[in-house]
Amino acid sequence: MSKVISLANQKGGVGKTTTSINLAAALAKLGKHVLLVDADPQANTSSGLGVEIRELDNTIYECLVNGVDPHSAIVHTKTKNLDMMPSHIDLVGAEIEMLNMDHREQLLKNILTQVRDEYDYILIDCSPSLGLITVNALTASDSVIIPVQCEFFALEGIAKLLNTIKIIKSKLNPALKIEGFLLTMFDNRLRLSNQVYEEVKRHFGDLVFNTVIARNVRLSEAPSHGVSVLEYDSSSRGAKNYTALAKELIARNK
């Protein structure tokens, strides 16, 4: 049975998509079978792994709204052991279409149940909102990774996300846990980055990953080539950071 992990933070620009792509690729490189689910209408995760969305018959949208078999929406990526369930701009309207459906918060969970046994890890890249799709992702997940950007307003909005997680635990998914807080865009030359790290560590203790993701130009360049940073430049700091994160995640789940 695989572990399902959402990457969530309603604050935009904190490194959710970068982490989703590269953590999934790093786990795959370490021999784990991984499914990456793009649950963001912007579909940046899909395009960042070179998926031609316009050429697809089925995406996560068709699975959620039309009940399409998830196997028909899964595509293989250029990385061995890494599959993807792509997103589509149509997902913007899915929340409205889902409103009148029975058990609307459980739709994604029911979809992933059909493929769960085929993977070691299923990672869900959530949109920067706390709408119905994100609620579906959290309801379907065993745990949540919360990327936190090393900037002045880093903790702003986390309280709202934690409250949402608390509500979902009480009403929809009692087993949901926080896998960890991940510090992203870290620059050890800046006093602010170190202050943010200390503040997050003080608030959340052992829930903070030991691995931090440093600022790295290769991380920014890789998506335009349709590959993870591990494929783009395996010797880069970004590739090494995400490999370390994958190893830490695997160690936590032994």
Side-chain angles (χ1 to χ4, degrees):
M1 183 70 94
S2 64
K3 181 154 194 181
V4 182
I5 304 174
S6 280
L7 289 98
N9 190 332
Q10 77 274 20
K11 198 171 186 298
V14 298
K16 275 194 308 297
T17 296
T18 299
T19 296
S20 298
I21 291 172
N22 294 301
L23 175 57
L27 288 166
K29 291 279 188 184
L30 291 170
K32 303 298 181 182
H33 287 88
V34 184
L35 175 65
L36 179 54
V37 180
D38 191 351
D40 186 347
Q42 295 177 79
N44 290 334
T45 303
S46 304
S47 59
L49 279 174
V51 176
E52 292 291 342
I53 300 161
R54 288 166 294 184
E55 297 176 6
L56 301 176
D57 293 323
N58 294 312
T59 65
I60 188 175
Y61 170 81
E62 283 76 20
C63 295
L64 286 169
V65 174
N66 301 327
V68 165
D69 184 332
H71 291 93
S72 68
I74 292 173
V75 298
H76 300 302
T77 70
K78 297 168 188 172
T79 300
K80 183 183 176 184
N81 294 330
L82 176 55
D83 291 345
M84 158 162 262
M85 185 181 290
S87 183
H88 193 278
I89 190 64
D90 288 350
L91 199 59
V92 169
E95 296 201 354
I96 296 169
E97 296 178 71
M98 291 161 62
L99 282 175
N100 295 321
M101 294 183 182
D102 294 333
H103 309 294
R104 63 192 181 199
E105 299 91 354
Q106 310 274 355
L107 294 172
L108 185 55
K109 182 177 183 179
N110 295 337
I111 289 165
L112 296 183
T113 298
Q114 298 174 59
V115 300
R116 186 164 180 161
D117 289 342
E118 299 164 34
Y119 297 96
D120 298 309
Y121 288 92
I122 298 177
L123 303 185
I124 309 173
D125 182 26
C126 298
S127 65
S129 74
L130 295 177
L132 186 54
I133 303 285
T134 299
V135 168
N136 261 266
L138 295 174
T139 302
S141 295
D142 299 305
S143 63
V144 194
I145 291 175
I146 303 172
V148 180
Q149 185 180 357
C150 289
E151 58 155 30
F152 185 69
F153 295 112
L155 295 179
E156 190 179 84
I158 286 183
K160 191 174 180 183
L161 175 60
L162 294 178
N163 190 51
T164 299
I165 291 170
K166 185 178 177 183
I167 292 168
I168 287 170
K169 277 174 67 80
S170 67
K171 298 185 181 300
L172 295 166
N173 184 5
L176 183 64
K177 292 181 170 63
I178 294 174
E179 189 72 41
F181 292 84
L182 174 68
L183 275 296
T184 63
M185 304 178 203
F186 183 82
D187 187 341
N188 61 9
R189 297 169 301 177
L190 300 178
R191 186 190 303 169
L192 179 59
S193 282
N194 290 288
Q195 286 174 339
V196 169
Y197 179 84
E198 293 302 326
E199 188 177 3
V200 174
K201 194 77 176 169
R202 188 170 67 251
H203 272 82
F204 302 110
D206 291 341
L207 284 175
V208 182
F209 283 103
N210 293 322
T211 305
V212 296
I213 308 301
R215 283 194 179 275
N216 179 242
V217 69
R218 291 289 191 258
L219 285 173
S220 305
E221 292 172 351
S224 65
H225 296 268
V227 293
S228 72
V229 73
L230 287 91
E231 300 281 358
Y232 182 61
D233 185 351
S234 61
S235 65
S236 67
R237 193 173 184 184
K240 290 174 180 175
N241 285 168
Y242 278 108
T243 300
L245 176 63
K247 288 178 179 176
E248 187 175 351
L249 181 64
I250 291 168
R252 284 188 177 202
N253 286 284
K254 279 184 176 174

